Each structure stands twice: as structure tokens, then as C-alpha cells.
Amino acid sequence: MPQEENLQEPERIPFFQRLLENPFLLLFLGVVVPTVFYILWGIMEIATIPVAQ
């Protein structure tokens, strides 16, 4: 019986912890999220400019 106790599965790391510990993913999100935000903001600003007569 003592050997069976040593064969326990290692503790699973939660998904969000694995996600937030990935530096390349954080770098990617830190570049992409502001870029998309400013592009959408620019498109909204252009769409609200009144048409010249």
C-alpha cells in the first residue's frame, strides 16, 4: 500500500494560471489589444466626421 500513495498524479495547474504565466502570450496581447483598440477608435472617429458640402 505505501507504494500506491507515492503514485499520485501531480497537481494540475489551472488554465488561467498557465495562460498568465506565458510571457510571449502576454507580450502578444500587450501589443495586439491596444493596436486593435486604436484602429477601431480611428475608424469610429472617421465615421463620425460630417460629409462636406
Side-chain angles (χ1 to χ4, degrees), residues 17-52:
Q17 181 177 352
R18 285 186 284 139
L19 189 74
L20 293 175
E21 286 181 348
N22 186 342
F24 295 107
L25 178 64
L26 293 176
L27 175 65
F28 176 76
L29 290 175
V31 171
V32 169
V33 170
T35 302
V36 170
F37 176 75
Y38 283 119
I39 288 173
L40 291 175
W41 187 6
I43 291 171
M44 289 172 38
E45 287 290 325
I46 290 172
T48 59
I49 295 174
V51 179

